[in-house]
Amino acid sequence: GNKKSFSVGASVDARYVKVTIGDQDCLQIGEFEVYGWKASEGIPLENMDRLHVGEEAANCWKSPGSRIMLTSDTYEWDDSHIEVVADVPSEPGTIAVYPLTKKKSAVDETFGYPDFAVEVALLDRSLIIEGAKDEGEFATLGGHFIVLHTPHVHQHLEGALLQNMGQQGKLGRYPLHFHMSECVHGSTLSKNVIWKSNQRCVVVHGSHNVTVSENVAFDTKGHCFMLEDGGEWDNVFYKNLGAKVGRLPRGVPRAEETDFFPSVYWITNPSNDFIGNVAAGSQGPGFWFELKLRAPSSELEINNHGMNPKALAQKTFKDNASHSSGFRAGFTTYETGYLAPPGTVWENIKAYKNKEAGLFQHGTANIDFQGGLLADNGQAAHNFHHDNAIYDGTEVIGRSEHMQFLIDQGRIGDHCKTGGLSLQPNEGMGRGTTIKNSSFKGFDNGCSGGPKYAIHVGNNQVRNGVFDASPTIFNNTFADEPVSSRISACWGIHSSGDNDVRTVVIEDMDGSLSGSSPGFFVQDEPSVTSFIDITNCQMVTDGCLHFCENICLRLGIVSISQDLTTRNFNMHISDGTNTAPVNRGNIWFDEKQNFLSAPMPLALPAAATGSPYQITFTDANDEAAWPGFAKLNLERAPSCIGGVSAGEIEFAMPDGGGDRCMDLFKYDDYPNGIHGWQNFFAGLVVSEDAGKYVISTNRRKHDRGHVNLSRNLDTSCLVGNIGRTFHLFGKMRMKDESDADVASDGTSNDSPKITFSITGGQSNIVMSWNLATSSDGSWAEFSEEITMPSGIEGANRAQIVIDKAEKQEFLITEWGMILIPSEAPTLRPSSYPSVSPTLRPSSHPTVSLVPTKVATLTPTKQPVTAAPVSATPTNLALTGLASGDSECHNGFAYKAIDGNSNSINHSCCTNYGAWLMVDLGIGTLNYIEKIVVKNRVDCCGGRLKRFYVELLDADKNVVFDQYHYGTVGNAQVREFVVDDGTVARFARVRHEDSYKDCLHIGELEVWGYPTEVPASSEPIIEMATGMEATASTEWSQSSAASKSVDGNINSIYHSKCNAGVPWWRVDLGVMSFVQDVKITNRKDCCGGRLRYATVELLDADLNPVESQSRYIQGSVGNGKVVQKVFNEETSLARYVQVSLNRADCLQLAEVQVYGYHLMAKPTSAPTPVPENLALNKPATQSSTYNNAGDGASSAVDGNYNSFTHTNCWKGINQWWKVDLEDVYTISSITVGNRLDCCGGRFHDATFSFYDENEEEVYVMPTSGGIGNKKSFSVDFVSARYIKVTLGDKDCLQIGEFEAWGWKE
C-alpha cells in the first residue's frame, strides 16, 4: 500500500538493514524507518510497556525473548502485530515487553466492553515443526502435516509451533490436515500455533469427531480453520483464535475455491460445534457458512449419505466472536445461504469493528440470534433475504464510546458508517424479521453517507420493489436515541439499484420503537395512505416515513401476470370514496418466465361494514383491462385489531362489451419487443423472417429437455362474452438441435400440442389440439373457433399453452385471438405481428370502417391572407421550435422536426386530445402551401388517426384545419394542401378531444415561406452558462447548484432527497427574453427523478411570470435533453427556475437558456487568474516529530504524498506557518491531508492571516475534518503570512498547503 509497518519479532542487534525486492522489477522506496535503541545502552526500565494478562498466562509467557501477538482493535484486518517479552521484573499477572510499536486497547479503555480489548497470544512453543525455506518459485512451498485415511485411530497433536507450513497451490498440502479418515472419535489438535502458513491452517476433510481447541493461527493465507467439502460432521472447534488471515491468489488451490476471500472459519456443514472461537482479522469474513457439497468427499459413499448441508440442523454455535473483518461481514451465509430448521439458535455471538457488516445473511432462514453484541460495524446486520430472522436480547451499537475514543486519538479513520439492523424487502409473506427484547444505542452520532439508523429498510436486490413481509418489533430499548435515529426507510425507497421500494408498513406493537403509543410507521404512498388520515401522523425526520398512532393496517400482495404486455398496467383500490392507484413496477427477473408473477402491494385498514374494497385494473391507455389473472395474498394479521381481511376485498372485472375485447393480442408490439408470450426457463427470441415477426424458443440444450410457450388471456373478455365465438389462429414450425425442421404427424406425442383453458370459475374448461409439422421449412397453420360456454362465470385465469416434444425447438408466427362480430365478418387483429402489409386469411375478409359523419371545426378567427409572392417553398419546421401536450418515453417534441423520420416525438398515452405544435418564429407570418405528416416507421402506426391538422396565427387562433379520421400506417405519409393565401405562425397536429392515445410522428413538415419577419431581431444566445446558480439544498459541495451551468454534462447538481420540495435557479444577470430552455438529465443513473418537473420564468423580484411555466410530464432518460419552449411576447425574466412537485432528489446535468438580454449586463474589471502562492515558499512549524520528512517544507513541495508531522500531545496546539515573501490578495486556500493514515487528526483548524509586520489581519476558524483534501474561500484578504493551528493538542500533519491569489 502507501505505507506499512513490520515487527521484527525478537529484538535484533544490527547496524545495517537491507531491503531486497521479490522479483527483478524496479525497487522504489518513499521512506524507510527503523525503530529501536542503541544496543550497548538498552532501554530504560521506565520505558518498558506492561501487558496485564493474568497470573497464569504471565507465569507461562515471562521468558525473555518470547514473542507475543496482539490482535487488531480497529477495522483493519492486518492491524495485529508482535511484541517481545523483555528481561525485566514485573508485577504479578504482568509481563514486560519492549515499547509497543503501536498503541492497543486494554480492558480499562473499552468503556465497559472488555470484548473490545485486543486478544493476546503467545506464539512460541517448545516443539517446533518448520518447513524448509526455499526461494524463487518454491518460496511458498513449505511443509505439511497430514493424518491420512486412519479411521477409528485416536491421534493427538498438542503444543507445537508450525512455521512455514502449507504448500501453496497444491491440494491437500496444509499445516494440519485430517484427510478422509472418517470417524476418529477422541482425536485432538490442541494449543498449537500456526504462524506464517502458505496455505490454510487446520483442515478437516472427510473426517468426523475431531476436536480442534485452543489453537492460534497468525499471519496465514487462505481459509484458516475449515471443513473442506461439506462431508464432515460432529467435529468440535473450541476457543481457537485466528488473526491476520490474508488471501490466496484467485483459483488457488483450485479454480472453484474461494480462498481469495479468506475466512478465519470456513464452514461447509453446520452439523459441527463451534464454541468460543475468535476471528480477529481477515481479508474476507470472520465466519463463513458456505454450505455446498463439493468433490471429492461429496462423492464418497462413506461421507455423503445423500445429505444437503444447506438444510442440516445446526449443532452448538455459541460464544463466537468476529472483529476486524475486511470484506463482507464478521458472520455470513453468503451466497449459498442456510435454510436452517426452525428453532436454530446462534447464541451470544459478537461482531464488532467489521468494516462492512457484523452479520450478512443471504438466502437464509430461521436463525434465532439470542443475546450477543453487534457494535461499530459498517452495518450491524444485513438481512439479505433472511426469512424469519429473530434478534432476541441482542445489544446493537452504532458507534460506541470506544470507537469514538479511537477516532479522537487518530488511531482509526472516521468511516462514518453506523448502520443497524436491516429489514429486507421481498422476503415473502409470513417471513418477516423479529426484533425483540433488544437494546440500541450510538446511532444519534451525526454520521451520514449510508444507513445510520438502528433499524432501516434495506436496498440490495429489492427486486420487485415491494415490502411484503411484516416485521415483528416489540419490547426494545433505545438509549437516548431520537425517533429520527431509530428507524428509516429512505435507503430502500430511494437508493436501490433495482426498484424503489413501495408500501413500507412497519407495526410498532407496543410503542417502544416510536417512544409513544402503538401504531404503524408508513410510507407516504397512495396504496397505504389513501385510506387513513395521514395529517394526523407524525413525519419521521430523514426517515421517509410517518408514524400513525392507533391505526391498524394489514399488508397484502395482488399477484398478476408479469408478461411484457402488463408492464404499464395499474391496479386501482377503491373503498367507494377514495381510490388508490398502484403501478405494476419493474420485474427483477425475466418477464418472459411463466412461473413467476408481478406483485402489486397494498396495505389497508378494515373495510367499512357492508362496503368491501374493490380492485380494478387499467392498461397503459388508462382503459379498463384484466391482467391475465389476479390473486390476493394477505400477510399475517397484525397484533392490533382492525386490519383488512380477505373477505373485505373484491376483484371487479370489466365487462366484455365494446371494442375492448375484439382483439385479445392487441397489446403485442413486436418491433419494440413487446408481446404476451412466456416460457419456463427457456428464453425467447423475437426475429424477423420474410416479412414476419417470429418467436422461437431458446432452450438451454444441455440442462433442460422440455419447455413450452404460454400466454395469459384477458379472462374478463371471455367471461363477458358467453355464447359468442373467438377465433384462435397462428402458424408453427419445429426444429431439432441441428436447426433442421422436424416433421410430426399431428396425432402422436411427438407433435406440438395447443391447449386452451379457463379455470377458477364454476367449472373449468380445457381444450387441446395436436398440430402436424413439416420438415420442408413450411409453416403449419392452426385455426379454431371457440364458443364461450356457460359455467365459466367467476373464472380468474385463461391461458393458451403450446407444448412440444422433448428436446425440440419451435417457432411461431402470426398468432392471434379475435372476437367474431355477431353481425359482421371477422376483423383482423390490430397488432398482427408483421413487418410489412400482409394478406389476412381468405376465410376472414377485411372490413373497412368508415365514420358515418366526419366532424368539422370552424376556425375561431377568419384567416389572414396575403397574395403569393415569388419565393421557393421550404420546410419551415426545420428552423422552428416544437412543443407538445406531453413527452413520454424520451419522445421529445423536437424529434418531430429534426429532418429524421426515424426519430419520433411521443406523447404520454393517458391524455385526451394529445397535440404537437411547431412555432415558426416570433414576429413572423408565413405563407403556407402544404403540411406533410410522416408516421413513425417501426411500429404502432395505428395510433395516428382521428386527428386535426391546423394552422394558427400569432394569437393561437385557428386559421386553417383539416380532419383525418382513418389510420395512417407505419412509414406512411399524408399531405394536407392549405387554402391558397393562408398565412400563420404555428402549425399543429392534435387528436380529437374525445380520443385518448399516444401521439407519435416521424416528421412534421410545414412547406411555405415567410411573408413578414421582424425588421430587426436580437441574435439568440445561450445565457445561463457561468452565471450564478442557487438551490433549495445541495447534496454535497461536489454537486453544487453551479454544476448545472458549468458547461460540463458530466458534473451534476444534486439536491438533498426528501428535504422538502427541491428547486434550482439561475440568475441571468438582467431581465432577458427567453426563447427556450434545454435541460440535460443526469447521464449515469436515476433519470426518472426529473419527471413531473416544472420549468418557470421569474421576474427580478422572484415572482413567477404569468403563463410562463412549462411542465415535464413524462420521465426523461439518463443523459437525454428535454427542451421547453417559451418564445412569447411575455417570456421576459431575470431568473429561470426548475422545481419538482414532490419531496425527492432534483438532479440536473446542465441547464441552457436561449434568448437575449434586454439590457447590457453589468461589467467589472477582469479578475486576475489565481496562482498557488505558497508553492516552494519558506515554512516553519511548532515542532517536528522524530525528524519526520523534510519538516515544514513538505507541505509546500507540490507533492501530496509527502507530509509534515509535528509532535503529538505535548501540551500545545501545534501550528504550521508559510511566508509568501510578499503581500498578496488571497482568494482561497486548499489543504491536503496526510493520505496513508491518521487523517482524522486534522480537524477544527484555525487559519490566521498576517501582514508584512506579522500583525494578524484575518482569522478563519473551521469545524470538522477535511477528508483527503478540502478548499476554503477567503474574502480577498491581503496578507504575507498564513498560519494553520490545530483544534486540539494532537499531531498536526499536512500533506500539502496551497494559497491561491495574485499580486495586488
Side-chain angles (χ1 to χ4, degrees):
N2 291 329
K3 181 179 180 181
K4 190 168 185 178
S5 298
F6 300 89
S7 296
V8 174
S11 59
V12 175
D13 293 341
R15 175 175 178 178
Y16 300 97
V17 182
K18 180 180 179 182
V19 179
T20 305
I21 199 168
D23 58 18
Q24 298 178 10
D25 204 350
C26 317
L27 174 60
Q28 301 170 328
I29 299 176
E31 192 71 16
F32 186 80
E33 300 170 350
V34 180
Y35 294 91
W37 53 88
K38 190 169 178 61
S40 60
E41 297 175 357
I43 303 177
L45 293 180
E46 61 271 16
N47 289 349
M48 296 292 183
D49 280 319
R50 264 71 174 176
L51 302 181
H52 298 271
V53 296
E55 290 192 19
E56 183 180 357
N59 291 335
C60 291
W61 299 357
K62 63 185 180 182
S63 300
S66 295
R67 292 165 294 184
I68 306 294
M69 185 265 290
L70 283 73
T71 64
S72 173
D73 61 351
T74 69
Y75 283 132
E76 303 305 324
W77 69 275
D78 58 351
D79 206 11
S80 53
H81 66 280
I82 300 171
E83 300 297 341
V84 179
V85 175
D87 188 9
V88 173
S90 57
E91 300 81 8
T94 301
I95 56 176
V97 295
Y98 292 106
L100 295 180
T101 56
K102 185 172 184 179
K103 175 67 176 173
K104 291 290 183 180
S105 297
V107 171
D108 59 2
E109 298 175 315
T110 59
F111 299 87
Y113 290 86
D115 292 289
F116 295 162
V118 296
E119 292 83 13
V120 184
L122 176 69
L123 295 180
D124 287 298
R125 297 290 189 271
S126 299
L127 172 62
I128 300 175
I129 303 173
E130 186 172 10
K133 295 181 180 179
D134 296 316
E135 296 183 357
E137 62 179 307
F138 304 110
T140 58
L141 297 181
H144 71 98
F145 190 114
I146 187 170
V147 179
L148 179 66
H149 295 292
T150 54
H152 308 294
V153 178
H154 301 180
Q155 306 200 49
H156 309 273
L157 178 63
E158 180 174 341
L161 167 62
L162 296 97
Q163 285 188 291
N164 192 34
M165 300 291 283
Q167 298 184 350
Q168 194 172 120
K170 293 183 177 292
L171 281 172
R173 300 298 185 255
Y174 315 125
L176 290 176
H177 183 194
F178 268 83
H179 182 74
M180 302 297 175
S181 292
E182 304 180 45
C183 181
V184 288
H185 193 280
S187 295
T188 63
L189 298 173
S190 179
K191 299 181 180 179
N192 303 291
V193 173
I194 300 169
W195 188 3
K196 294 187 179 298
S197 165
N198 300 303
Q199 182 169 267
R200 300 178 172 171
C201 306
V202 177
V203 179
V204 178
H205 186 191
S207 304
H208 325 301
N209 302 101
V210 181
T211 297
V212 181
S213 64
E214 299 182 278
N215 300 284
V216 175
F218 173 63
D219 197 7
T220 64
K221 289 181 171 59
H223 297 308
C224 193
F225 298 94
M226 61 177 286
L227 302 165
E228 186 163 355
D229 273 344
E232 303 84 25
W233 55 82
D234 293 338
N235 299 290
V236 178
F237 289 79
Y238 176 73
K239 285 192 175 181
N240 300 286
L241 170 65
K244 197 178 180 182
V245 175
R247 60 170 50 114
L248 284 171
R250 287 187 186 272
V252 173
R254 58 183 174 183
E256 64 266 33
E257 304 294 348
T258 55
D259 296 72
F260 185 75
F261 302 106
S263 57
V264 182
Y265 301 90
W266 195 61
I267 304 168
T268 58
N269 188 321
S271 296
N272 296 271
D273 292 319
F274 286 83
I275 304 170
N277 301 284
V278 177
S282 63
Q283 275 189 288
F287 291 76
W288 187 357
F289 285 75
E290 194 171 19
L291 307 178
K292 54 185 179 182
L293 278 171
R294 309 165 336 131
S297 67
S298 62
E299 299 172 352
L300 298 180
E301 184 178 352
I302 59 170
N303 282 333
N304 190 339
H305 302 302
M307 66 183 181
N308 175 11
K310 187 175 179 179
L312 291 177
Q314 171 79 64
K315 293 196 73 176
T316 304
F317 194 79
K318 64 181 292 187
D319 299 333
N320 299 298
S322 179
H323 64 85
S324 309
S325 296
F327 177 69
R328 190 163 284 138
F331 297 82
T332 186
T333 58
Y334 188 85
E335 71 182 311
T336 57
Y338 178 23
L339 302 179
T344 299
V345 174
W346 287 13
E347 183 179 351
N348 193 37
I349 66 168
K350 298 177 180 179
Y352 50 93
K353 294 182 179 62
N354 296 288
K355 186 169 289 187
E356 294 190 11
L359 305 176
F360 188 146
Q361 308 302 94
H362 174 268
T364 296
N366 303 318
I367 295 181
D368 184 349
F369 302 97
Q370 293 187 359
L373 172 68
L374 305 173
D376 298 328
N377 302 292
Q379 188 172 339
H382 188 176
N383 290 324
F384 193 18
H385 303 298
H386 182 177
D387 298 347
N388 299 313
I390 300 175
Y391 298 90
D392 186 354
T394 305
E395 184 173 9
V396 185
I397 304 175
R399 174 174 290 180
S400 68
E401 294 175 278
H402 178 248
M403 173 63 81
Q404 190 62 54
F405 172 71
L406 296 180
I407 293 172
D408 293 342
Q409 287 201 336
R411 288 160 57 185
I412 188 170
D414 188 352
H415 294 278
C416 218
K417 293 182 179 180
T418 57
L421 306 182
S422 71
L423 303 175
Q424 177 70 19
N426 287 92
E427 295 289 14
M429 293 286 179
R431 304 173 185 172
T433 298
T434 297
I435 305 171
K436 61 183 180 179
N437 309 318
S438 297
S439 63
F440 298 83
K441 68 178 181 180
F443 291 94
D444 186 19
N445 52 44
C447 268
S448 61
K452 58 177 181 178
Y453 307 94
I455 300 171
H456 67 274
V457 176
N459 72 331
N460 287 112
Q461 285 190 11
V462 303
R463 298 184 171 176
N464 298 326
V466 296
F467 192 81
D468 59 2
S470 296
T472 302
I473 303 174
F474 66 93
N475 198 33
N476 301 293
T477 59
F478 298 84
D480 301 322
E481 302 285 340
V483 176
S484 60
S485 294
R486 296 183 186 184
I487 187 166
S488 174
C490 297
W491 203 245
I493 292 174
H494 296 298
S495 302
S496 169
D498 298 317
N499 285 315
D500 290 346
V501 176
R502 300 174 288 161
T503 326
V504 177
V505 174
I506 300 171
E507 184 181 9
D508 185 5
M509 297 173 62
D510 59 357
S512 62
L513 182 55
S514 63
S516 57
S517 303
F520 279 77
F521 288 89
V522 301
Q523 179 183 355
D524 187 2
E525 199 265 339
S527 63
V528 180
T529 57
S530 295
F531 307 103
I532 62 175
D533 186 359
I534 199 170
T535 61
N536 292 328
C537 304
Q538 181 68 38
M539 186 171 183
V540 180
T541 304
D542 295 330
C544 302
L545 296 171
H546 289 72
F547 179 68
C548 306
E549 294 184 354
N550 303 315
I551 67 168
C552 194
L553 299 171
R554 189 175 183 183
L555 272 171
I557 294 293
V558 174
S559 300
I560 69 169
S561 172
Q562 69 160 18
D563 72 66
L564 296 166
T565 65
T566 67
R567 273 184 177 175
N568 296 310
F569 270 46
N570 288 296
M571 179 174 75
H572 304 271
I573 310 167
S574 175
D575 64 355
T577 302
N578 301 304
T579 300
V582 183
N583 64 59
R584 196 203 76 170
N586 295 324
I587 301 298
W588 74 276
F589 197 58
D590 184 0
E591 290 166 283
K592 296 185 289 295
Q593 300 300 319
N594 58 19
F595 65 98
L596 296 173
S597 57
M600 305 186 79
L602 53 83
L604 301 172
T609 303
S611 300
Y613 294 98
Q614 282 206 333
I615 293 180
T616 57
F617 296 89
T618 55
D619 61 17
N621 298 321
D622 203 27
E623 296 177 349
W626 185 253
F629 64 89
K631 181 181 179 182
L632 172 67
N633 295 282
L634 290 178
E635 172 62 304
R636 58 169 178 78
S639 65
C640 55
I641 298 175
V644 71
S645 64
E648 296 174 327
I649 299 176
E650 297 178 350
F651 290 105
M653 280 190 179
D655 63 43
D659 294 336
R660 188 178 70 84
C661 294
M662 294 300 296
D663 179 5
L664 299 191
F665 286 30
K666 65 182 179 181
Y667 297 117
D668 288 359
D669 182 2
Y670 288 90
N672 287 319
I674 303 299
H675 58 82
W677 293 102
Q678 295 180 292
N679 67 95
F680 182 79
F681 266 120
L684 297 179
V685 176
V686 179
S687 59
E688 189 180 322
D689 181 20
K692 300 179 179 68
Y693 282 104
V694 177
I695 291 182
S696 57
T697 57
N698 185 27
R699 179 176 51 80
R700 303 170 183 174
K701 294 183 174 62
H702 300 294
D703 64 352
R704 296 189 183 274
H706 184 83
V707 297
N708 60 33
L709 276 180
S710 67
R711 69 179 295 151
N712 293 294
L713 301 172
D714 187 335
T715 315
S716 69
C717 287
L718 306 178
V719 174
N721 284 284
I722 291 176
R724 297 187 64 182
T725 301
F726 285 82
H727 179 221
L728 175 62
F729 57 90
K731 299 178 180 179
M732 181 176 176
R733 290 162 58 191
M734 192 160 61
K735 292 192 174 189
D736 61 19
E737 293 188 19
S738 65
D739 205 34
D741 279 81
V742 175
S744 63
D745 58 13
T747 59
S748 68
N749 290 334
D750 292 332
S751 303
K753 182 179 181 181
I754 294 94
T755 300
F756 169 78
S757 63
I758 306 175
T759 57
Q762 298 176 18
S763 59
N764 294 332
I765 304 298
V766 179
M767 303 178 182
S768 296
W769 306 270
N770 287 101
L771 186 65
T773 57
S774 172
S775 59
D776 62 3
S778 61
W779 291 95
E781 296 195 22
F782 174 82
S783 179
E784 286 289 335
E785 292 187 354
I786 307 169
T787 300
M788 295 302 109
S790 60
I792 63 174
E793 293 88 346
N796 57 23
R797 187 165 193 173
Q799 273 190 311
I800 300 170
V801 177
I802 305 178
D803 216 337
K804 61 177 180 57
E806 188 170 342
K807 296 188 177 179
Q808 305 297 332
E809 306 296 336
F810 67 94
L811 300 83
I812 64 171
T813 189
E814 298 182 5
W815 279 78
M817 188 169 184
I818 59 178
L819 177 63
I820 299 176
S822 301
E823 299 178 356
T826 303
L827 296 177
R828 174 183 182 74
S830 61
S831 58
Y832 189 91
S834 61
V835 179
S836 56
T838 59
L839 296 177
R840 66 172 290 98
S842 59
S843 59
H844 301 287
T846 303
V847 174
S848 176
L849 295 180
V850 180
T852 58
K853 182 179 179 180
V854 176
T856 60
L857 180 67
T858 302
T860 58
K861 183 179 179 181
Q862 291 300 314
V864 177
T865 61
V869 297
S870 177
T872 302
T874 61
N875 179 12
L876 301 172
L878 290 174
T879 57
L881 296 166
S883 56
D885 69 304
S886 60
E887 296 168 311
C888 281
H889 309 294
N890 297 318
F892 306 113
Y894 58 77
K895 291 186 176 183
I897 58 170
D898 61 359
N900 179 9
S901 297
N902 291 312
S903 68
I904 65 167
N905 81 295
H906 197 308
S907 77
C908 300
C909 302
T910 56
N911 295 354
Y912 287 94
W915 55 266
L916 171 75
M917 184 166 66
V918 58
D919 180 353
L920 303 178
I922 190 169
T924 66
L925 286 177
N926 304 276
Y927 176 82
I928 309 300
E929 288 190 352
K930 65 178 179 179
I931 299 172
V932 179
V933 179
K934 298 180 178 180
N935 203 357
R936 68 184 291 181
V937 174
D938 52 346
C939 83
C940 317
R943 287 171 168 164
L944 186 55
K945 60 186 177 182
R946 297 167 61 182
F947 64 90
Y948 292 94
V949 172
E950 301 170 326
L951 292 173
L952 299 86
D953 63 16
D955 298 320
K956 296 188 179 176
N957 298 306
V958 176
V959 296
F960 167 83
D961 74 284
Q962 188 170 335
Y963 181 76
H964 187 283
Y965 180 82
T967 298
V968 181
N970 294 346
Q972 297 300 302
V973 179
R974 294 291 184 270
E975 288 192 3
F976 300 87
V977 177
V978 179
D979 298 337
D980 189 33
T982 301
V983 297
R985 174 180 167 185
F986 300 95
R988 181 168 68 190
V989 176
R990 68 174 180 89
H991 282 149
E992 64 178 48
D993 292 341
S994 61
Y995 181 45
K996 180 176 68 173
D997 204 344
C998 323
L999 175 64
H1000 38 59
I1001 295 174
E1003 198 70 13
L1004 174 62
E1005 299 176 355
V1006 183
W1007 289 84
Y1009 47 82
T1011 62
E1012 182 179 319
V1013 297
S1016 63
S1017 61
E1018 292 285 340
I1020 299 299
I1021 62 171
E1022 200 288 304
M1023 302 183 292
T1025 302
M1027 299 303 291
E1028 180 182 0
T1030 55
S1032 54
T1033 60
E1034 295 176 334
W1035 181 267
S1036 65
Q1037 186 176 2
S1038 63
S1039 56
S1042 60
K1043 297 296 183 180
S1044 289
V1045 288
D1046 62 358
N1048 179 10
I1049 63 171
N1050 293 310
S1051 64
I1052 67 165
Y1053 160 67
H1054 193 316
S1055 76
K1056 292 182 178 178
C1057 304
N1058 297 294
V1061 176
W1063 55 264
W1064 175 95
R1065 182 188 302 145
V1066 62
D1067 183 357
L1068 302 179
V1070 295
M1071 287 295 289
S1072 305
F1073 169 75
V1074 177
Q1075 172 187 275
D1076 64 296
V1077 177
K1078 292 181 179 178
I1079 300 175
T1080 303
N1081 203 359
R1082 177 177 181 175
K1083 63 189 292 189
D1084 55 341
C1085 83
C1086 318
R1089 287 173 168 163
L1090 192 53
R1091 66 188 186 280
Y1092 310 135
T1094 297
V1095 184
E1096 58 185 330
L1097 306 185
L1098 308 179
D1099 63 19
D1101 297 320
L1102 298 178
N1103 297 313
V1105 179
E1106 184 176 357
S1107 301
Q1108 296 301 308
S1109 64
R1110 304 291 184 261
Y1111 187 54
I1112 300 175
Q1113 180 173 346
S1115 295
V1116 181
N1118 296 340
K1120 301 299 184 182
V1121 179
V1122 60
Q1123 179 189 39
K1124 289 300 170 184
V1125 176
F1126 292 89
N1127 208 42
E1128 297 176 355
E1129 300 290 346
T1130 57
S1131 301
L1132 308 177
R1134 168 75 182 267
Y1135 301 91
V1136 175
Q1137 179 169 289
V1138 182
S1139 60
L1140 296 182
N1141 66 346
R1142 65 198 181 279
D1144 199 349
C1145 316
L1146 176 61
Q1147 303 166 331
L1148 306 168
E1150 202 68 16
V1151 179
Q1152 297 169 297
V1153 180
Y1154 291 89
Y1156 53 83
H1157 299 298
L1158 300 177
M1159 60 187 75
K1161 292 172 61 178
T1163 59
S1164 60
T1167 302
V1169 177
E1171 59 179 308
N1172 180 10
L1173 306 169
L1175 184 64
N1176 296 321
K1177 296 297 176 65
T1180 56
Q1181 60 189 16
S1182 53
S1183 62
T1184 301
Y1185 177 74
N1186 286 349
N1187 297 315
D1190 295 325
S1193 62
S1194 296
V1196 289
D1197 61 358
N1199 180 8
Y1200 273 81
N1201 292 310
S1202 66
F1203 59 90
T1204 69
H1205 195 319
T1206 69
N1207 289 330
C1208 313
W1209 303 103
K1210 295 297 184 181
I1212 66 169
N1213 292 63
Q1214 302 288 339
W1215 56 263
W1216 176 93
K1217 187 175 182 181
V1218 62
D1219 179 4
L1220 304 181
E1221 298 184 320
D1222 203 344
V1223 175
Y1224 293 90
T1225 298
I1226 313 298
S1227 61
S1228 67
I1229 59 174
T1230 298
V1231 186
N1233 209 346
R1234 176 178 176 177
L1235 296 179
D1236 58 339
C1237 83
C1238 318
R1241 288 173 169 168
F1242 194 107
H1243 62 89
D1244 300 328
T1246 297
F1247 300 94
S1248 305
F1249 298 77
Y1250 303 88
D1251 62 15
E1252 65 272 22
N1253 299 317
E1254 299 198 51
E1255 293 184 2
E1256 189 175 79
V1257 295
Y1258 185 72
V1259 178
M1260 186 172 68
T1262 65
S1263 61
I1266 60 170
N1268 289 336
K1269 180 180 179 182
K1270 190 170 184 179
S1271 297
F1272 301 88
S1273 296
V1274 181
D1275 294 335
F1276 303 105
V1277 175
S1278 295
R1280 173 175 174 175
Y1281 301 93
I1282 305 174
K1283 181 179 180 181
V1284 183
T1285 306
L1286 195 60
D1288 60 13
K1289 296 178 175 56
D1290 203 350
C1291 324
L1292 173 60
Q1293 301 167 329
I1294 301 176
E1296 194 68 13
F1297 182 88
E1298 299 171 350
W1300 292 87
W1302 51 83
K1303 187 73 179 78
E1304 291 184 310

